[in-house]
């Protein structure tokens, strides 16, 4: 198994970052505007991407949500490579920053799609940072286009 790992610092409180990770309005402000479902533990959040060459999305079951500390999802629907993987956001305060340790864990192999997803996660984590710091992120369909895969 292999994982995608990223670390960003957000000049805000862990509570503010946690809100952006655990509310439908927060998630639609940095990842994709087409987000719905329930953000409660045990429920499913649906993320859809319009305008991509192969429109689709991901359904995430919320496994854990510890205020200002941890958000953990399991992918229950989407591309085959994502099914059964987990997406983890660990939060901690360091100086004036909330450090976000991101992990998309449990990939079966590091194929080309994983390379693409790693770069896209980085762009979306920067969108999260921008949303929390300025009030405006760059969610899909306004995200950075990195290749012919979007």
């Amino acid at each position: 198994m292999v994982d995608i790992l990223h670390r960003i610092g957000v000049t805000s409180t862990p509570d503010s970052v946690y809100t952006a990770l655990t509310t439908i309005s927060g998630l639609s402000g940095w990842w994709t505007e087409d987000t719905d479902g329930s953000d409660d533990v045990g429920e499913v959040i649906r993320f859809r991407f319009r305008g991509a060459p192969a429109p689709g999305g991901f359904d995430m079951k919320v496994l854990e949500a510890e205020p200002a500390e941890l958000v953990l999802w399991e992918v229950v629907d989407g591309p085959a490579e994502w099914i059964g993987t987990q997406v983890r956001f660990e939060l901690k305060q360091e100086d004036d920053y909330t450090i976000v340790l991101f992990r998309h864990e449990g990939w079966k192999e590091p194929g080309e799609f994983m390379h693409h997803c790693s770069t896209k996660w980085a762009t979306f984590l920067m969108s999260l940072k921008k949303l929390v710091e300025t009030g405006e992120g760059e969610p899909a369909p306004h995200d950075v286009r990195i290749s012919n895969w979007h």
Side-chain angles (χ1 to χ4, degrees), residues 31-88:
W31 196 13
T32 178
E33 290 180 341
D34 193 356
T35 298
D36 68 15
S38 174
D39 47 40
D40 295 328
V41 172
E43 299 297 323
V44 173
I45 306 170
R46 290 175 297 279
F47 302 94
R48 298 294 177 264
F49 295 83
R50 304 174 302 247
F58 314 97
D59 290 357
M60 306 285 193
K61 182 176 183 179
V62 181
L63 297 181
E64 293 183 49
E66 297 175 25
E69 292 182 18
L70 174 71
V71 176
L72 178 63
W73 303 326
E74 179 180 357
V75 183
V76 294
D77 196 16
E81 295 93 336
W82 281 49
I83 304 280
T85 62
Q86 294 186 345
V87 177
R88 174 186 305 269

Side-chain angles (χ1 to χ4, degrees):
M1 297 287 198
V2 290
D3 302 337
I4 294 171
L5 306 172
H6 293 290
R7 179 187 187 271
I8 63 166
V10 181
T11 53
S12 189
T13 66
D15 287 327
S16 295
V17 176
Y18 181 81
T19 296
L21 294 171
T22 58
T23 62
I24 299 302
S25 62
L27 293 163
S28 64
W30 68 268
W31 196 13
T32 178
E33 290 180 341
D34 193 356
T35 298
D36 68 15
S38 174
D39 47 40
D40 295 328
V41 172
E43 299 297 323
V44 173
I45 306 170
R46 290 175 297 279
F47 302 94
R48 298 294 177 264
F49 295 83
R50 304 174 302 247
F58 314 97
D59 290 357
M60 306 285 193
K61 182 176 183 179
V62 181
L63 297 181
E64 293 183 49
E66 297 175 25
E69 292 182 18
L70 174 71
V71 176
L72 178 63
W73 303 326
E74 179 180 357
V75 183
V76 294
D77 196 16
E81 295 93 336
W82 281 49
I83 304 280
T85 62
Q86 294 186 345
V87 177
R88 174 186 305 269
F89 302 86
E90 294 178 24
L91 310 176
K92 63 181 179 176
Q93 184 79 45
E94 286 186 8
D95 303 318
D96 294 333
Y97 289 90
T98 295
I99 302 301
V100 179
L101 295 177
F102 170 87
R103 179 183 294 249
H104 187 170
E105 55 195 3
W107 287 73
K108 291 177 179 62
E109 60 185 348
E112 189 174 355
F113 185 51
M114 183 181 179
H115 290 266
H116 170 81
C117 292
S118 179
T119 305
K120 286 306 292 188
W121 272 124
T123 67
F124 285 122
L125 288 168
M126 294 308 294
S127 176
L128 168 65
K129 175 180 172 64
K130 185 175 177 186
L131 173 69
V132 175
E133 292 179 350
T134 72
E136 187 172 336
E138 294 176 343
H142 311 289
D143 55 314
V144 176
R145 186 176 181 105
I146 62 167
S147 74
N148 60 328
W149 290 357
H150 193 45

